[in-house]
């Protein structure tokens, strides 16, 4: 799976990582619904960190279609309400 972190680039993610990211994503959906700003920000930072740690960076010259687009860490709670809803992004 190809994941783009907005403003930071793309990463190849193995299936096992996607399962882990989905769990974090599901938690973010709940936190956004509950309006828990600090916890939401912490989990979004954790999600992005996991992608960077365990994903394989894709060179900027290589243009690939992203399967999932992850918003930047500075996403506001209001903006997150449009992104992290229902089943989330994973």
């Amino acid at each position: 799976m190809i994941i783009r972190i907005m403003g930071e680039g793309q990463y190849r993610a193995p299936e096992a990582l996607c399962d882990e990211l989905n769990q974090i994503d599901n938690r973010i959906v709940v936190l956004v619904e509950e309006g828990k700003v600090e916890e939401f920000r912490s989990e979004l930072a954790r999600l992005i960190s996991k992608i960077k740690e365990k994903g394989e960076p894709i060179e900027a010259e290589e243009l690939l279609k992203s399967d999932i687009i992850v918003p930047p860490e500075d996403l506001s709670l209001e903006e997150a309400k449009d992104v992290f809803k229902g089943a989330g992004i994973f």
Side-chain angles (χ1 to χ4, degrees):
M1 176 175 289
I2 306 298
I3 301 172
R4 174 177 299 282
I5 301 172
M6 291 178 66
E8 297 191 40
Q10 290 182 301
Y11 296 80
R12 275 192 185 83
E15 192 63 36
L17 176 59
C18 292
D19 293 341
E20 186 177 354
L21 297 175
N22 185 45
Q23 291 175 4
I24 298 170
D25 177 56
N26 290 340
R27 178 151 167 73
I28 291 172
V29 170
V30 171
L31 293 169
V32 168
E33 287 174 357
E34 294 175 351
K36 295 184 175 177
V37 178
E38 293 306 315
E39 293 93 334
F40 147 69
R41 289 195 181 282
S42 175
E43 287 299 301
L44 179 57
R46 186 170 153 233
L47 180 81
I48 291 170
S49 177
K50 290 280 183 191
I51 295 168
K52 290 178 180 179
E53 284 174 23
K54 297 184 177 180
E56 175 191 338
I58 297 173
E59 295 295 324
E61 298 79 30
E62 190 175 354
L63 299 175
L64 300 173
K65 182 179 181 211
S66 299
D67 297 303
I68 294 183
I69 299 174
V70 176
E73 278 189 58
D74 63 354
L75 186 74
S76 73
L77 183 63
E78 286 305 310
E79 293 168 322
K81 289 178 182 178
D82 293 331
V83 178
F84 292 100
K85 57 186 177 185
I89 58 176
F90 281 86

